[in-house]
Every structure is written in structure tokens, then in C-alpha cells.
Amino acid sequence: MTNFTSKTLTKEEKRRFDRQFRLPGWNQEILKQSSVLIAGIGGLGVEIAKNLAMVGVGHLILVDLDTIEYSNLNRQILFIGAPEGASKAKIAAKKLREMNPFIRIDAFDCPLQDVPPRIYNDVDMYIAGLDSIEARSELNRRAVHNKKFLIDAGTAVYNGHAYVVSPFTNACLECDPLTERAQDQLGACTLVGKPRRPAHCILKGQLRFEQKHGRPANILHSNEVQDVVSYANKLLKEHFPQEKSFSVNQVIQIIDNHEPTVITINCVMASLQSQEAVKILHHLHTPMHKNRLGNIQLNYLIYNGLTGKFYEIEKPRNPKCEMCGKDRTPLFRIKVKRKFRLSQLIERFSQDKKYPIDTEFPPMIFRIDSSELGEIFLDQTISEAGIKDCETVLVTGFDDGSQIYLTLKLEG
Amino acid sequence: MKLIVFSLHVLKTGTPFLSKDEFSPVFIAENTREDVIMSENEEFIEFEEEGEEEQDDPSIQSKVPRSKVPSGERLTLFFRSTIGPGEKQEKLTVDPEMSVRELAQTIGEIFALDPQDFHLSISGRTLDSDDVLSNYDLEDGLEVLIIPVSTAG
Ligand SMILES: [Zn+2]
């Protein structure tokens, strides 16, 4: 109960957080000095950000390049009353500041790649509320390179998963690569020709509508949807007579493709992520093992909202993982002055670390911590190249085609 | 693991690196741990050694190497659904040369699920549709979980 006499917490904070000070093992001072990056401020991210702000995590960094849509309002509580089209990250930050004025919140309405590398280096951990595999991969790479905990989660209908990545301890997201649901692409079938799968009948119905009207069917107009449904079912009867005919909802899900999501499932998963985050922050700032708050769940958790059951899967590391496996591209951290020339830096590295230069294909540096990838020319200083503090670059051109990652900690 | 040079502590506290050339960069290998919680470096070293044996075998291609099932034999697997309105378990005898895609199709029919809505997971590894079962480390009686493709945020 040290928090009651804490010197770093204000009187107001002490009154506000009174009830959680009483939790065994809790330390509000630790949370106040912590920082968390939340990637994706949607169904999960809004709930995570709300929980961590309420709990009093001192510094939150919200990243989302999306804007608010009206259909977000069934579950994304921070956006109620905000204008459609406004930045999710910015509006969330504004609402959270009202909810807890004692914490600092920074908002980035840009891709994950363009958040300053220094932030990835400085924060305590990352939490994902993302909806794409690519974004998860990107955040996973940052987590492995910066050795930060990453708490991922996702939902599908009435199910969800939550998974804490502790780099080099359990599997990273690349150890067991996620694969996207194979979507039936319009390109896979045309208006002419036989439908190869039942779902193709709907796609053909949709294509036919578009050709007839010069626009897709509007799902709020029942006669337009019905047009697609009847054509799809006609084809279905013809080509797949054993199949049950399509319902209006099935057709809508295919012609207006959005993941079904509801706040109840989002909240379960986001709360699991938030609770793991609270423990991890306590662990990171508690040097003594025995005094740590609880234990981190390092297994993959699945929640089935239809049965109320949880499943736990152990995720061993994959020795062949490209990010954390044995043959991964090694990463070196360098402390270096901004006016150092890149060509000299590579030479120094090559000598110091015994990485002979490939004379046939000499070293090249590539920018990877940015949405604009590309070569960085060697004949300039670090500051001329626009390399940011804590930025990681890829360097190729050592013997036997080997390459390395360099993280540059800049000074001067 | 060969290149641990300076502790990150040096980097964090800003203690200058002793060198004649003040522009000298300091190279620090990646395996020095920043955080106390991740300092169980020993585990990492163990992992590296374990990985080495497997790495020597060039024939290993799949995520989980080496099948324990001799070719030609059939495999009995237990399937359990983590999705859908009721938890179901089914025993199924399969041909190890069967593709994961085919297996998912069969499982979809048995469990009344769309193969697009689930992955098959064995011992923490998600089976790749383009693979055949014999590429995985399969044993008779193993449990295969039918898990959600939960990627929405
Ligand atoms: Zn990995």
C-alpha cells in the first residue's frame, strides 16, 4: 500500500485510484512511469486504450491511420458524437484526455511504419488491435528488433484470440505465420463460364447487377439485394442442386464484405490484453522476481463466445523463423555521431565484427522503418541521409551474400 | 551469440565508450537484454544449440520437421472444435499423404463448418493448406484443434 504515501502521485490521483491501490501487488507509481504503444484504434484498440487510460498508464501512444465510420459506433465507444471522417487516433486521444487528465496521450494518424523509430525504442511495450496480417507482421518485426513485448489479439464472429509475444521466449508471429482467410476474388470468376464453387454464384449475381446498373447493389435496398439473391440461387440450383439456397444475409456478407463484429467479444479480448499489459508493466519495472505481480500468460488463448469456453495453446519457437530463428538476419545496435559517413560506418562494422565485404556486390543500405522503402546512398553522413534516432536499416553486401540489420542510436 | 560485446547498460546510461576516436561507433550485439524480465538469456542459448541439429539436415523443409509416421501407414487423429455453438470431438483415420486442404474440407463437412472459417492447429503450429500432412511432426492419437481465423480488430 505504498501508493498512499507516494511522493510522485498527486492528491487527486490518490483519491481517484484509491480502490486499485488496495489490490495486492499493485503499484500505481510503476504504471504512471510506463508507456504503451497501441497499434490500431478500432474495436479492440478503443477498449485497450480506454482500459489503460482508466488504470492510469502514464503515457499512451495511439496509432491508426483510419477515420471514423458510422458503422464503428456499434462498438467503438470513444467515437460516439465524433464527426464521421475524423481521425480515429486523434479523437480517441481527445476523449481519453477528458477521461483521465493525469496521463499523456500522443496520437499518430499515419501508418505504423511512419511512427518515429525512437518511439518503438522508448516505450515499454506494444499492443495490437490490428485487422491485417501485414500490419501485424510489421509490428512483430519491431517487437523482435526492439525486444519488446507485443500483445496481439483478433476476433472472428463470436470467437477471439489473444497472444502475448515475448521475443526469443515463445513463438513470435512469424514463427507460425498467420494466413489470411482465402477470399473469393471477383477475378477468380467471370460472368461467363461455369461457377466452380457455390459462392461463385453470388459473385456472378453481383457482377451481373453491376453490368446492368453500372454500380454495385446497395445493401439497404431490399429489391437490389433480392435481384442478386434470386440470380445466385438460380445458378446454384443449376450447378449445385444439392446445396441449400442462399439467405439474404449470406449474400450481403459476400457482396458487401465486412467482418461481423460486436462489442461483447471485442471487450473480452481487449480486457485480456489489458490485464496482461498491466502485469507486464509491473514486471518490467520490478527487478526482483519474487515481488512481481502474477505471471504472464505466454500461451495462445482462444475464446469461444458461443460456448463460453477458453482454450490454451502452447506456442513453441520455430528454429527456422526468419525473425527470431537460428538463421535470422542478425541485428546490431550502434551508438554513433550524426556526422559519421555511412561508407565509413560500414567499413568500421566490417572490420570490428569480422564481416568481410563482398567485392562483387559491395554493401548497400536500405531503409525499412518507413512506408517508403528504398536505398540509402553510402556517400553521405547519417544526418544527410535523414536517418532517424533508433532507426533500423538493412545492410547487404557482405561475404556469402550475408546481410545484417543495424539499429542506429544517434548522438551529437 | 558470438558477438556480445558491450552491455546495453552502457548505451542507456550514456557512459562514453573508451576510444581514441570520439566518433567511433559502438557496436552492440543484439542478444544483450535491455529488460530485466527478458533477461532469461540462458533459454535462448539452449534454443540455439537445439536448433543446430535440425539445421544440419538439408531435407527438412516444413515448419515441423520429420514425420514419425512411416510411409504407407494410416494415422488416427482426434479433432476438437474451439469454434461453433458446441464443442465437438471426432476421431478420424487419415492418410498421411493427404493434403491439409483436403483434410480441412473433410473436417468442414464433419463439423458443419466452412473451411474458410478455421485453421487446423497441431502442437502450436498452424497447418498450411498447401502442405501435406506427412510434412508435419505427426503421431498417432494426436489432438488437432480447429481454431478460428480471428484477424479482425
Ligand atoms: Zn519467430
Side-chain angles (χ1 to χ4, degrees), chain A residues 140 144 170-176 317-318 321-325:
Chain A
N140 181 66
V144 175
N170 62 354
C172 81
L173 299 185
E174 228 53 69
C175 284
D176 187 28
R317 289 176 61 195
N318 179 358
C321 174
E322 281 184 21
M323 278 318 301
C324 76

Side-chain angles (χ1 to χ4, degrees), chain A residues 370-391:
Chain A
S370 163
S371 57
E372 279 168 47
L373 310 174
E375 191 185 345
I376 300 172
F377 297 105
L378 285 166
D379 189 26
Q380 52 186 338
T381 64
I382 288 166
S383 70
E384 282 164 0
I387 291 174
K388 300 191 181 92
D389 191 16
C390 300
E391 183 165 341

Side-chain angles (χ1 to χ4, degrees), chain A residues 119-227:
Chain A
I119 291 179
Y120 286 104
N121 177 79
D122 288 355
V123 297
D124 287 309
M125 58 177 301
Y126 316 148
I127 308 185
L130 299 165
D131 54 13
S132 82
I133 303 291
E134 295 77 50
R136 281 184 174 89
S137 272
E138 172 66 16
L139 197 61
N140 181 66
R141 178 179 71 77
R142 307 284 187 143
V144 175
H145 279 173
N146 292 292
K147 295 208 168 63
K148 303 285 181 184
F149 278 96
L150 160 61
I151 312 183
D152 181 43
T155 66
V157 201
Y158 291 106
N159 299 284
H161 82 267
Y163 179 56
V164 177
V165 176
S166 172
F168 302 104
T169 304
N170 62 354
C172 81
L173 299 185
E174 228 53 69
C175 284
D176 187 28
L178 293 155
T179 42
E180 211 100 41
R181 188 197 310 264
Q183 287 292 354
D184 274 296
Q185 292 299 316
L186 273 178
C189 89
T190 53
L191 200 49
V192 286
K194 250 176 81 171
R196 282 170 288 108
R197 297 189 40 177
H200 290 169
C201 300
I202 300 178
L203 295 173
K204 280 175 178 290
Q206 184 185 7
L207 267 177
R208 181 172 153 271
F209 187 97
E210 276 188 47
Q211 293 203 341
K212 232 164 62 180
H213 300 89
R215 61 171 176 85
N218 183 334
I219 60 162
L220 297 177
H221 294 158
S222 59
N223 57 330
E224 296 188 8
V225 177
Q226 203 48 57
D227 185 90

Side-chain angles (χ1 to χ4, degrees), chain A residues 191-406:
Chain A
L191 200 49
V192 286
K194 250 176 81 171
R196 282 170 288 108
R197 297 189 40 177
H200 290 169
C201 300
I202 300 178
L203 295 173
K204 280 175 178 290
Q206 184 185 7
L207 267 177
R208 181 172 153 271
F209 187 97
E210 276 188 47
Q211 293 203 341
K212 232 164 62 180
H213 300 89
R215 61 171 176 85
N218 183 334
I219 60 162
L220 297 177
H221 294 158
S222 59
N223 57 330
E224 296 188 8
V225 177
Q226 203 48 57
D227 185 90
V228 180
V229 173
S230 0
Y231 187 73
N233 280 330
K234 187 185 130 225
L235 283 180
L236 190 75
K237 224 171 168 183
E238 220 172 280
H239 298 279
F240 305 93
Q242 73 286 7
E243 293 281 329
K244 228 171 64 198
S245 56
F246 295 115
S247 69
V248 173
N249 266 357
Q250 272 176 302
V251 171
I252 287 176
Q253 180 49 32
I254 288 185
I255 64 174
D256 182 52
N257 184 15
H258 288 287
E259 296 280 342
T261 44
V262 62
I263 190 166
T264 49
I265 303 295
N266 276 309
C267 283
V268 172
M269 304 327 293
S271 291
L272 289 170
Q273 289 177 286
S274 309
Q275 175 60 14
E276 290 308 313
V278 165
K279 285 186 290 177
I280 289 169
L281 295 175
H282 272 83
H283 282 219
L284 289 172
H285 300 286
T286 313
M288 295 289 289
H289 261 273
K290 61 176 167 49
N291 295 330
R292 284 176 174 173
L293 176 62
N295 290 298
I296 313 303
Q297 169 62 285
L298 292 175
N299 291 339
Y300 186 96
L301 273 186
I302 294 171
Y303 171 63
N304 181 340
L306 290 178
T307 59
K309 284 179 193 272
F310 281 95
Y311 302 85
E312 225 179 282
I313 303 176
E314 210 184 308
K315 298 290 265 188
R317 289 176 61 195
N318 179 358
K320 292 185 163 49
C321 174
E322 281 184 21
M323 278 318 301
C324 76
K326 194 180 166 294
D327 293 334
R328 68 184 182 277
T329 300
L331 180 140
F332 296 86
R333 290 168 198 279
I334 313 161
K335 192 179 173 189
V336 65
K337 297 250 196 250
R338 287 174 204 268
K339 44 185 153 172
F340 212 81
R341 287 200 96 68
L342 287 167
S343 49
Q344 258 177 294
L345 180 73
I346 300 305
E347 254 169 60
R348 257 316 270 280
F349 170 80
S350 166
Q351 284 163 17
D352 279 21
K353 294 292 144 209
K354 313 257 180 314
Y355 267 77
I357 282 174
D358 184 335
T359 43
E360 205 179 330
F361 300 101
M364 285 167 84
I365 302 183
F366 295 94
R367 172 162 277 133
I368 53 168
D369 280 1
S370 163
S371 57
E372 279 168 47
L373 310 174
E375 191 185 345
I376 300 172
F377 297 105
L378 285 166
D379 189 26
Q380 52 186 338
T381 64
I382 288 166
S383 70
E384 282 164 0
I387 291 174
K388 300 191 181 92
D389 191 16
C390 300
E391 183 165 341
T392 301
V393 295
L394 178 71
V395 188
T396 63
F398 302 105
D399 254 6
D400 308 319
S402 69
Q403 52 185 36
I404 57 148
Y405 289 116
L406 280 186

